Amino acid sequence: MKSLFTSLLIVGALFGPPSSSHAAEDAAQGNLVLGLNDCIRMALKAAPELGEAQADIEQTASKLDEAKSYRYPQLEVMSLFGPAPQARAQDITPTIATDRSTRLNRLTWFTSADATLIQPLYTFGKISENMKAATHGIEVDRSRKEQRANEITLKVREYYYGLMLARELKEVVLEVQEDLAAARKKAQKLLDDGSESVDQIDIYKLDAFSGEVAKLLEEAQKGEKLALAALKTRLGLSAITPLDIGSERLTMDEETVPSYDAFVDRARLRRPEFRQIAEGIKARAALVEAAKANYYPDVFLGGLASWAYADDRDRINNPYITDQYKHFYGGAALGLRWKLDFGITGAKVAGEQAQYNRLLSTKEFADANIPLQIKKFYLDLKEAEQSVTATQSAYSNGKKWAVAALANFDFGVGPAKEIFDALQAYARMRAAYFQSIYNYKIARANLDYAVGEAPLDGAK
């Protein structure tokens, strides 16, 4: 009995929020009382993981904006200011003088500005494929955020149901403790009255068993406190925040469970991982095409404007001569820019293709293993459902046995050992009953996660 209660109470300590008869009292005292959906909403709002996922979405969205921006003109302007030599037109008219030198006392100043405008016309997919990759990348990050939200919801449900389990097990221990106290009181009375049906050894046995039950009660209370602390942490609450859950008992859900095939079909439509892989494959395919586009040139429309001015220099109006310190000219042209390399582009294409092939393998793995995961959780659900029925009947009979044993002991016709055996059997089956309900709820929560159920749709 000890090992059974210990293991069950440790499970309860690891999974849960507060429940049951204290809720009304806590609400009256101003404590925070939350239902399961309330806990899920608060956990999703407080979860730092979702903030990280949202940052990933925004980062990928910025890459999309960057890729879109390459469709528009790019303007580059450079401006200079500095010294320049003086110059006169007669130095080159009628003949070019070759004996002129630059002297410090004949320097002047100049300023210039050069602007280059490039408007891409056709890039063989460099821009469009990167835009496509970023668009699908955003969907990948959104699905990843949804997956994290589902993981948080699953953990909250585990904590919530686990605390309910811890409290139910504590109630079982308290019930056994109460029955033992009544039996101890009756045994002492019979012993004091000189009854031959009870001796001091029976008192010792009852006290020994009561001590073990008291130990289990301490473990149950510890499990409840740990479960509550775990829930507060997941909800982003401080340890001193007064918190309890609604007045709920750990009971079976009245629902019709769909077939295994229905769960699999639903998972293919809703499971975030399936969408991540599908969108990821599209993104990787676009990146492969974008890498291949580097084999081809970029067609663009280019524009150039250049202006410079210098004091103490004559302007020369001759299309054959350009004065870099004093001029103004511009023009436009259709251009072709082609970057040739020896193996660099091919290596980049091979790398992107490898990533694409990797995702195809991941898809095969998901197609095979997600249905297997669903199968496991579905069988867990069915097993727990059968266990609930079996243990409910067992603990009901155990209770009858315990009542009969206590009654016989009261009348002095039953031994104390019969009380121990009956209470142990009852407590063990009662605990197993609640454990089976807990297992059913956890299996259902796992199924909801496995099929990609929206956080608040699957919570009951």
Side-chain angles (χ1 to χ4, degrees):
M1 175 179 174
K2 173 184 175 182
S3 61
L4 174 69
F5 269 98
T6 301
S7 61
L8 293 181
L9 293 172
I10 290 176
V11 170
L14 293 177
F15 303 102
S19 127
S20 140
S21 60
H22 306 291
E25 178 183 349
D26 289 338
Q29 294 175 354
N31 289 356
L32 183 62
V33 180
L34 301 175
L36 177 56
N37 284 343
D38 297 326
C39 291
I40 292 173
R41 291 189 188 95
M42 184 173 290
L44 293 176
K45 185 177 180 180
E49 304 97 311
L50 297 187
E52 294 175 355
Q54 183 61 37
D56 291 339
I57 294 174
E58 293 170 359
Q59 181 182 20
T60 308
S62 70
K63 293 181 180 178
L64 176 59
D65 292 338
E66 179 184 353
K68 288 180 177 180
S69 298
Y70 282 109
R71 299 177 299 175
Y72 308 123
Q74 298 179 37
L75 179 65
E76 182 178 346
V77 178
M78 182 174 66
S79 182
L80 297 175
F81 178 84
Q86 298 177 4
R88 298 303 177 189
Q90 64 260 26
D91 292 338
I92 61 172
T93 305
T95 60
I96 299 176
T98 59
D99 59 348
R100 300 292 187 265
S101 62
T102 301
R103 298 177 183 178
L104 291 178
N105 61 353
R106 297 193 63 189
L107 289 178
T108 184
W109 57 269
F110 89 99
T111 182
S112 68
D114 296 283
T116 303
L117 182 70
I118 300 294
Q119 170 61 64
L121 298 178
Y122 190 69
T123 62
F124 291 88
K126 294 182 183 70
I127 297 176
S128 60
E129 294 300 331
N130 276 293
M131 287 173 54
K132 188 186 299 183
T135 300
H136 292 300
I138 291 174
E139 295 304 317
V140 170
D141 290 333
R142 285 175 178 167
S143 297
R144 188 174 290 117
K145 180 181 179 182
E146 184 179 340
Q147 177 187 352
R148 291 182 180 179
N150 290 346
E151 291 170 353
I152 292 168
T153 299
L154 176 61
K155 189 59 64 177
V156 170
R157 293 175 72 178
E158 288 176 351
Y159 290 164
Y160 192 93
Y161 298 141
L163 182 58
M164 294 175 70
L165 173 63
R167 289 188 167 179
E168 293 289 5
L169 294 179
K170 185 181 74 171
E171 292 299 323
V172 173
V173 176
L174 288 172
E175 184 180 355
V176 171
Q177 191 178 53
E178 183 180 348
D179 290 340
L180 283 174
R184 171 68 168 78
K185 182 178 180 180
K186 181 63 176 178
Q188 187 64 54
K189 184 177 183 304
L190 291 173
L191 186 63
D192 293 342
D193 293 342
S195 173
E196 296 181 356
S197 62
V198 178
D199 56 26
Q200 191 62 44
I201 293 179
D202 292 328
I203 301 295
Y204 294 152
K205 289 179 180 179
L206 287 169
D207 289 341
F209 192 40
S210 297
E212 183 178 358
V213 172
K215 180 177 180 297
L216 292 174
L217 180 59
E218 289 299 321
E219 292 177 354
Q221 292 170 342
K222 174 186 174 182
E224 182 182 7
K225 292 176 182 177
L226 286 175
L228 182 58
L231 183 66
K232 286 183 179 180
T233 301
R234 182 68 269 184
L235 299 186
L237 299 175
S238 66
I240 61 174
T241 301
L243 174 66
D244 206 342
I245 59 173
S247 55
E248 301 177 43
R249 296 296 301 271
L250 196 59
T251 57
M252 283 290 289
D253 299 324
E254 295 182 2
E255 61 173 346
T256 302
V257 179
S259 65
Y260 163 73
D261 292 333
F263 280 115
V264 174
D265 292 340
R266 192 182 304 174
R268 296 193 184 280
L269 293 175
R270 300 185 181 183
R271 181 86 179 240
E273 288 91 326
F274 277 128
R275 289 201 301 278
Q276 283 182 50
I277 294 172
E279 295 294 332
I281 288 174
K282 294 176 183 178
R284 283 297 172 185
L287 289 174
V288 170
E289 295 303 317
K292 289 180 178 179
N294 289 321
Y295 286 124
Y296 308 103
D298 296 337
V299 181
F300 66 92
L301 181 65
L304 172 67
S306 180
W307 170 85
Y309 175 82
D311 198 20
D312 290 330
R313 288 181 71 93
D314 294 337
R315 182 178 296 280
I316 300 175
N317 296 312
N318 189 320
Y320 292 100
I321 300 175
T322 300
D323 184 355
Q324 61 180 333
Y325 295 112
K326 196 169 187 176
H327 66 263
F328 177 76
Y329 59 83
L334 187 66
L336 193 69
R337 182 169 51 193
W338 202 342
K339 183 180 178 181
L340 301 177
D341 58 61
F342 298 93
I344 297 176
T345 299
K348 290 181 178 179
V349 172
E352 295 296 345
Q353 186 66 49
Q355 291 294 326
Y356 175 78
N357 294 337
R358 182 177 182 274
L359 272 183
L360 291 179
S361 298
T362 302
K363 182 179 183 301
E364 292 180 5
F365 180 86
D367 288 338
N369 285 273
I370 287 181
L372 180 61
Q373 183 189 48
I374 294 173
K375 186 71 173 179
K376 177 187 180 303
F377 295 148
Y378 184 80
L379 293 177
D380 288 344
L381 185 74
K382 288 299 182 181
E383 178 187 10
E385 189 175 30
Q386 296 299 322
S387 295
V388 168
T389 303
T391 54
Q392 185 176 23
S393 174
Y395 90 72
S396 178
N397 290 324
K399 182 63 175 178
K400 295 176 183 177
W401 179 14
V403 170
L406 288 168
N408 290 339
F409 186 79
D410 286 346
F411 289 117
V413 296
K417 183 179 182 304
E418 191 71 17
I419 297 176
F420 309 147
D421 293 341
L423 288 178
Q424 280 184 337
Y426 167 71
R428 186 168 59 250
M429 288 299 99
R430 182 70 167 167
Y433 170 71
F434 289 121
Q435 178 69 57
S436 297
I437 296 178
Y438 170 81
N439 291 342
Y440 179 90
K441 289 183 174 291
I442 292 301
R444 192 66 174 91
N446 284 328
L447 270 176
D448 289 338
Y449 170 78
V451 302
E453 198 76 50
L456 296 178
D457 289 345
K460 297 182 177 65

